[in-house]
Amino acid sequence: MNTGHYGRHLLAEWMLDPSVAYLNHGTVGATPRRVMAEYRRIQDAIERQPAQFQLRELADVEGRGDPSRPHMRVAAEGVARHLGCRADDLVFVDNATTGVNAVLRSFPFGAGDEILVTSLGYGAVTSTARYVAREHGCTVATVDLPPHDATPDDYVDLVAAAVGPRTRIVLVDHITSQTALVLPLARIAAACRAKGALVLVDAAHSPGAIDVDIESYGVDWYTANLHKWGFAPRSCGILWARPEHHASLHPTVISWGLGNGIAAEFDLLGTRDPAPFLAAPFALDLVEEWGGPLLRRHNHDLAMEGARMVEAEFGRALRTPEELFGPMVNVGVPHRFGTTKDEAVALQRRLLAVHGIEVPVFGDTEGLRLRISAQIYNDRSDMERLVAALRKEAR
Ligand SMILES: Cc1ncc(COP(=O)(O)O)c(C=O)c1O
């Protein structure tokens, strides 16, 4: 498949309602039919001999490195291949929230340590930092980052300047949530580590959205979702850790593998459905089969085009540098649409109910902002529909 073949006709490959212009792939992701079929095939295979699967084939909880590779390790290898890391450093987690929790809740903080978060961080994971700090007598510091109209250098400099002598961990996004910024991760990590802080990355959006090469970033932990842009069924995330952090890293649910290494500890967390994890290599392979870099380029270009069309409709120009966006772009609409969270919710509801467009809208003192996601089942006509809808709503 190449970019010429992308567009709304590909909705047939998904189970999405074709009457809706779906510009919100970033929120939870949508799983292609082919991946759903693979996921169900795996579930059916498990049901043929559930005990055999659960007790002997799924995971090696004793960490003996059994030569017949357990399914969770084979899946980890299939995923690691796409993310620029070793499978031995990668485990599955339900989602990025769980990954952040595992790191922060098992890290040996001392009283007085600081966790540095950013003002653009995702609320749920910032809450985790606050909870952990409270439990350990630590503090949480927040560095204010501009939500838009800033340069990559600004983000590096602001985070670096906020790292202090007590900062143990910097919790930073790879792609920010509402603001959709692809932060210059390797440069931020180098600056933090130079000042003696460890770096935990919330990369909830990254796999499938941008090229991911974990080992090249120089970070300490990297957690990501595969159920957003990676096409995997929900719930499916990963957590990667540098080898020197393995011994102190534990899942939030302690189970049979305790003390036997991260694979043993994370691969079996009691009885649950492992099919999303086992389907993940198939899902990431499909992202590449459907274009890989071409798909990512299409999604980025289309999201940018949509954002520029919205800006042009209201006589403005997008000021955030293009390199700070991936397949989602955050764009403002004029003050007359409102500024509050309630007005944002109302506009989002009207866009769906009246115009058949699913797109998230956020409150902002300078005017509401939309986050436009583009996936290969979108094309310019979806963006034209959005602009036409905003034009009507503006009257
Ligand atoms: C930056 C960021 N972190 C974490 C999450 C949470 O993802 P999950 O609910 O899959 O853990 C999101 C979800 O959109 C996000 O954007």
Side-chain angles (χ1 to χ4, degrees):
M1 210 182 284
N2 62 42
T3 43
H5 295 114
Y6 297 153
R8 281 189 62 81
H9 62 281
L10 287 184
L11 278 169
E13 295 281 353
W14 272 265
M15 291 154 81
L16 290 165
D17 177 353
S19 71
V20 172
Y22 200 74
L23 300 176
N24 195 10
H25 194 94
T27 287
V28 282
T31 312
R33 288 178 190 277
R34 288 188 210 186
V35 179
M36 291 303 289
E38 172 65 5
Y39 167 56
R40 289 175 182 137
R41 187 196 65 71
I42 293 166
Q43 288 182 318
D44 290 351
I46 294 171
E47 292 312 316
R48 276 179 65 80
Q49 229 300 20
Q52 162 83 357
F53 193 90
Q54 171 86 5
L55 299 177
R56 291 177 285 274
E57 296 181 356
L58 183 61
D60 170 18
V61 292
E62 288 171 4
R64 282 188 302 210
D66 196 316
S68 59
R69 300 287 281 158
H71 291 299
M72 289 294 275
R73 288 295 95 204
V74 174
E77 281 158 19
V79 167
R81 224 182 26 243
H82 288 283
L83 302 182
C85 64
R86 296 184 327 137
D88 288 349
D89 301 328
L90 180 142
V91 292
F92 288 101
V93 288
D94 284 343
N95 46 55
T97 307
T98 309
V100 169
N101 267 270
V103 174
L104 292 181
R105 294 175 74 174
S106 54
F107 187 78
F109 286 107
D113 286 348
E114 177 187 278
I115 306 171
L116 179 64
V117 301
T118 84
S119 58
L120 304 183
Y122 189 73
V125 307
T126 303
S127 297
T128 308
R130 293 197 192 293
Y131 170 80
V132 168
R134 201 175 66 201
E135 294 295 295
H136 290 272
C138 302
T139 53
V140 175
T142 305
V143 51
D144 237 334
L145 297 181
H148 41 80
D149 305 337
T151 67
D153 287 353
D154 294 334
Y155 292 106
V156 177
D157 295 346
L158 285 164
V159 176
V163 177
R166 307 218 64 115
T167 312
R168 290 301 302 282
I169 292 185
V170 178
L171 170 53
V172 66
D173 295 323
H174 195 179
I175 304 182
T176 62
S177 187
Q178 294 188 4
T179 39
L181 299 166
V182 184
L183 295 178
L185 184 57
R187 293 176 59 205
I188 289 175
C192 294
R193 285 178 63 91
K195 292 180 98 175
L198 302 171
V199 181
L200 163 58
V201 184
D202 173 358
H205 283 277
S206 300
I210 56 174
D211 292 335
V212 171
D213 189 19
I214 296 177
E215 286 179 9
S216 73
Y217 301 135
V219 303
D220 291 275
W221 306 270
Y222 187 96
T223 186
N225 285 326
L226 305 181
H227 57 227
K228 284 185 186 280
W229 298 88
F231 288 174
R234 284 177 293 281
S235 320
C236 187
I238 59 102
L239 170 60
W240 173 92
R242 273 179 191 255
E244 65 255 41
H245 297 309
H246 289 195
S248 60
L249 179 61
H250 305 286
T252 46
V253 173
I254 300 298
S255 185
W256 288 103
L258 182 64
N260 294 333
I262 57 168
E265 291 208 24
F266 282 81
D267 281 356
L268 187 77
L269 301 181
T271 307
R272 60 179 174 161
D273 180 11
F277 308 127
L278 304 187
F282 181 94
L284 290 179
D285 287 351
L286 190 61
V287 174
E288 296 310 301
E289 191 189 316
W290 281 354
L294 280 180
L295 167 153
R296 291 186 271 282
R297 166 58 48 191
H298 164 272
N299 294 347
H300 167 81
D301 288 350
L302 185 59
M304 287 301 302
E305 185 177 15
R308 288 198 178 109
M309 286 163 68
V310 170
E311 288 286 30
E313 173 66 24
F314 300 110
R316 307 184 318 185
L318 203 62
R319 291 197 308 256
T320 303
E322 180 164 354
E323 68 186 282
L324 282 171
F325 290 120
M328 303 186 287
V329 180
N330 177 294
V331 64
V333 291
H335 226 256
R336 63 179 178 277
F337 282 94
T339 53
T340 65
K341 195 170 170 193
D342 286 347
E343 286 164 320
V345 170
L347 178 60
Q348 181 164 343
R349 288 211 176 123
R350 280 186 61 76
L351 285 172
L352 183 59
V354 180
H355 306 280
I357 300 167
E358 178 67 55
V359 68
V361 184
F362 308 110
D364 188 296
T365 47
E366 289 169 26
L368 302 183
R369 299 192 70 88
L370 277 56
R371 189 188 70 188
I372 302 173
S373 288
Q375 185 49 275
I376 54 171
Y377 51 70
N378 297 121
D379 56 32
R380 193 182 153 88
S381 69
D382 292 314
M383 305 305 165
E384 286 165 348
R385 187 160 156 187
L386 175 64
V387 171
L390 290 171
R391 190 178 302 141
K392 280 197 189 128
E393 290 297 319
R395 276 190 213 132

